[in-house]
């Protein structure tokens, strides 16, 4: 895993730990919530705005923001 992937996965898993266990039927919804929260924690709005001023390529934006592609898509 790249640094960005490791950083993103650790944040994602820490949020799962903070939120605690959920019933099996809620797991898909919980996963979406955790993705969203992880993106918000890893990417601040000012940095996102700055990056989007000069690139429209998600991979380039993700690299600049120090996150993996899934986190960048959910920002």
């Amino acid at each position: 895993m790249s640094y960005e992937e490791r950083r993103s996965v650790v944040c994602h898993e820490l949020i799962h730990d903070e939120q605690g266990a959920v019933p099996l039927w809620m797991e898909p919804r919980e996963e979406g919530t955790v993705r969203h929260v992880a993106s918000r924690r890893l990417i601040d709005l000012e940095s996102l705005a700055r990056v989007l001023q000069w690139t429209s390529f998600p991979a380039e934006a993700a690299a600049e923001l120090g996150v993996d592609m899934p986190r960048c898509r959910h920002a």
Side-chain angles (χ1 to χ4, degrees):
M1 289 181 136
S2 69
Y3 166 77
E4 294 82 6
E5 290 169 328
R6 287 191 311 269
R7 181 174 178 253
S8 298
V9 168
V10 167
C11 182
H12 182 97
E13 294 306 323
L14 285 171
I15 293 167
H16 272 300
D17 187 57
E18 290 170 6
Q19 306 246 351
V22 297
L24 187 60
W25 61 269
M26 276 189 68
E27 285 182 1
R29 183 176 182 170
E30 177 71 8
E31 193 61 31
T33 299
V34 170
R35 278 190 213 112
H36 180 74
V37 171
S39 295
R40 295 294 183 156
R41 286 190 187 177
L42 291 169
I43 304 170
D44 67 279
L45 187 58
E46 184 177 314
S47 297
L48 180 61
R50 179 181 45 79
V51 167
L52 293 178
Q53 287 177 355
W54 61 268
T55 187
S56 60
F57 297 104
E60 197 170 42
E64 182 68 22
L65 294 166
V67 297
D68 62 358
M69 286 293 295
R71 249 43 64 194
C72 192
R73 278 188 233 121
H74 285 76

